[in-house]
Amino acid sequence: GTRTALALAQVAALVYLKRGPGYSGPRSILRQDTMRADAQNTADQISKSLELLAQRLDVETAPYRLEEFNARVEDPNLWDDPDAAQKLMRDRQALVDSIATYEGIKQELADNIELIELGEMEGDDEVIAEAEASLKSLAETAAQKELEALLNGEADANDTFLEINAGAGGTESCDWANILSRMYVRWAEKKGYKVELQSESAGEEAGIKSATYKISGLNAYGWLKSESGVHRLVRISPFDSAAKRHTSFTSIWVYPVVDDNIEIDINPSDIRIDTYRSSGAGGQHVNTTDSAVRITHHPTGIVVTSSEKSQHQNRDIAMKALKSRLYQMELDRRNAAINEAHENKGDAGWGNQIRSYVLQPYQMVKDLRTNYETSDTKGVLDGDLDGLMGAALALAVSGKSRAEAQG
């Protein structure tokens, strides 16, 4: 950073001297100083992202680990165990992609800094503007890759279940649960994830009392896990003729879909399986067959449901959901500090909030763990959650906010 700043300062001085005494120097030099400062700040941001990527990649050992992977891939007996072979190939490809990402950002940063220096030397504003625009775009890419690098927990890459439960407050809370349901579905669709409604209980007047979704795609659990907790809404109620402000609560619970290669033993005597008639909220989710299945796990009190059209399919889905819940409990025990907010979620009410969404008298979404806030409430409720999730993710990994972590 210092070398680049000195180089740019020298170039600016040369340009000034070359232009001669008729050149209106100070104002143009000030403009160039400002331009350089902006570019330098962007370059510094990218450098900080690169530092974190290098740390997560363990960049010094990465080439040796890749050599080891390549040697194992050449083993003629590799595919004797297809599951192990597939995992090896996935792990190798993840390392190849991580190295390519790191080296690509590093090279593009160097290329653009060199272009800016060249543009300053030649007095070519167009080259400078193009390089600065490329730097800004690269900074966004680097920040996104930095967040993705934090997704390296045991189950982060897995698909996930998302459970939504309206808190106390009747119609208000049921409507709020429905708004959150839409928000998460929008977010998942923007990510290109597959969304499947597993079960849903309609509110008496509006909205939903509860819903469970399965969201499938790379890092679905890693992104969503920080959403577990109580979400609070403050707004003028559309259901109140007096147009008073109301506060509503809904709890979110996220737990990973367990891979087939993770063994979860469930004693048949520990569970009770009930079948019952299910009912959806109407529209595309309407479902009134007798096939719904509820499984109760007595030792933990966990209850899971599924209401697809096939009873056999429901039993399979519900057992997978139960295994995932039990696995999540084990993850929570192992990661008690990171998952403290999740563990203490409790009832949907004042005491266990992770985020507030205020629509009146002003507009603000604020995460109470990271202090990340935005006034774009419409964007958030339309599924623009990456900023909020990224801040929570950085906090969970480092114990600091992203700004603190970057120094």
Side-chain angles (χ1 to χ4, degrees):
T2 306
R3 186 195 66 77
T4 303
L6 285 170
L8 293 178
Q10 289 166 354
V11 169
L14 283 170
V15 169
Y16 179 76
L17 290 170
K18 278 171 67 181
R19 297 279 175 95
Y23 174 59
S24 57
R27 196 159 52 181
S28 293
I29 285 293
L30 179 62
R31 184 185 65 79
Q32 289 175 349
D33 282 346
T34 305
M35 195 186 312
R36 284 200 309 278
D38 287 347
Q40 189 62 52
N41 286 338
T42 307
D44 288 344
Q45 283 177 19
I46 298 167
S47 295
K48 284 175 180 174
S49 292
L50 277 170
E51 284 172 22
L52 188 137
L53 287 172
Q55 183 184 336
R56 304 303 283 191
L57 175 61
D58 193 1
V59 71
E60 291 183 2
T61 67
Y64 304 107
R65 281 181 285 135
L66 184 57
E67 281 180 20
E68 186 183 335
F69 273 129
N70 290 338
R72 290 168 67 188
V73 166
E74 297 296 323
D75 183 350
N77 301 319
L78 174 67
W79 289 96
D80 291 352
D81 184 344
D83 290 340
Q86 285 176 352
K87 183 178 186 307
L88 175 68
M89 299 302 282
R90 280 197 305 270
D91 290 346
R92 179 189 174 278
Q93 191 57 47
L95 180 60
V96 167
D97 291 346
S98 295
I99 292 171
T101 294
Y102 174 78
E103 295 294 347
I105 292 172
K106 187 177 172 185
Q107 186 60 52
E108 198 173 334
L109 174 62
D111 289 348
N112 280 299
I113 287 175
E114 193 173 336
L115 272 176
I116 290 172
E117 290 177 354
L118 185 64
E120 293 283 8
M121 182 78 76
E122 300 295 328
D124 191 333
D125 287 348
E126 191 176 335
V127 167
I128 294 167
E130 282 181 16
E132 288 185 336
S134 294
L135 272 184
K136 284 180 181 173
S137 176
L138 182 62
E140 291 175 13
T141 301
Q144 183 70 19
K145 295 299 180 185
E146 176 189 336
L147 289 177
E148 289 175 7
L150 298 177
L151 295 170
N152 66 348
E154 184 175 1
D156 281 353
N158 289 29
D159 302 340
T160 191
F161 290 109
L162 172 75
E163 199 173 286
I164 301 169
N165 289 288
T171 301
E172 282 293 328
S173 291
C174 288
D175 190 51
W176 175 221
N178 199 44
I179 292 169
L180 284 176
S181 174
R182 176 184 175 276
M183 177 182 83
Y184 287 117
V185 169
R186 286 285 183 93
W187 173 83
E189 288 172 349
K190 288 178 183 179
K191 284 281 187 190
Y193 291 158
K194 180 182 177 185
V195 180
E196 299 168 87
L197 182 69
Q198 304 283 290
S199 64
E200 185 177 84
S201 174
E204 288 172 13
E205 293 180 41
I208 56 173
K209 290 179 183 175
S210 65
T212 303
Y213 289 93
K214 181 183 177 186
I215 298 174
S216 306
L218 182 64
N219 291 327
Y221 173 69
W223 278 111
L224 277 164
K225 65 183 179 183
S226 63
E227 296 299 293
S228 284
V230 175
H231 297 244
R232 169 179 170 246
L233 172 70
V234 179
R235 64 170 175 175
I236 303 290
S237 169
F239 306 101
D240 184 349
S241 57
K244 291 182 179 176
R245 267 196 302 158
H246 281 252
T247 300
S248 310
F249 301 95
T250 287
S251 69
I252 302 295
W253 196 356
V254 176
Y255 45 98
V257 175
V258 178
D259 286 342
D260 291 337
N261 59 355
I262 297 176
E263 292 294 328
I264 304 289
D265 293 321
I266 298 175
N267 187 333
S269 65
D270 286 343
I271 61 174
R272 186 179 78 241
I273 300 177
D274 300 309
T275 58
Y276 64 99
R277 178 178 289 275
S278 66
S279 62
Q284 66 182 37
H285 300 319
V286 70
N287 187 341
T288 55
T289 67
D290 286 315
S291 66
V293 169
R294 178 192 295 116
I295 298 180
T296 305
H297 186 249
H298 297 300
T300 60
I302 290 172
V303 178
V304 291
T305 60
S306 179
S307 51
E308 295 292 325
K309 290 182 180 176
S310 151
Q311 195 172 115
H312 176 75
Q313 187 182 13
N314 280 328
R315 191 174 294 229
D316 184 49
I317 289 171
M319 281 301 290
K320 282 183 177 174
L322 175 59
K323 287 183 177 183
S324 292
R325 289 278 292 272
L326 291 170
Y327 180 60
Q328 178 67 39
M329 288 179 72
E330 177 59 27
L331 282 182
D332 287 351
R333 275 195 289 271
R334 286 191 229 165
N335 302 290
I338 290 175
N339 287 289
E340 188 177 355
H342 179 96
E343 285 273 295
N344 296 331
K345 178 169 66 68
D347 295 330
W350 285 99
N352 303 290
Q353 298 163 51
I354 63 162
R355 191 176 300 146
S356 66
Y357 305 71
V358 180
L359 304 186
Q360 276 99 14
Y362 55 92
Q363 297 202 322
M364 182 67 68
V365 178
K366 181 172 182 176
D367 194 291
L368 306 179
R369 302 160 298 179
T370 63
N371 290 324
Y372 182 102
E373 59 183 40
T374 173
S375 58
D376 183 16
T377 54
K378 185 178 185 301
V380 168
L381 294 176
D382 274 339
D384 294 340
L385 297 172
D386 283 0
L388 287 155
M389 289 178 175
L393 186 60
L395 177 67
V397 169
S398 67
K400 302 176 182 179
S401 71
R402 187 168 161 200
E404 289 171 335
Q406 289 185 338

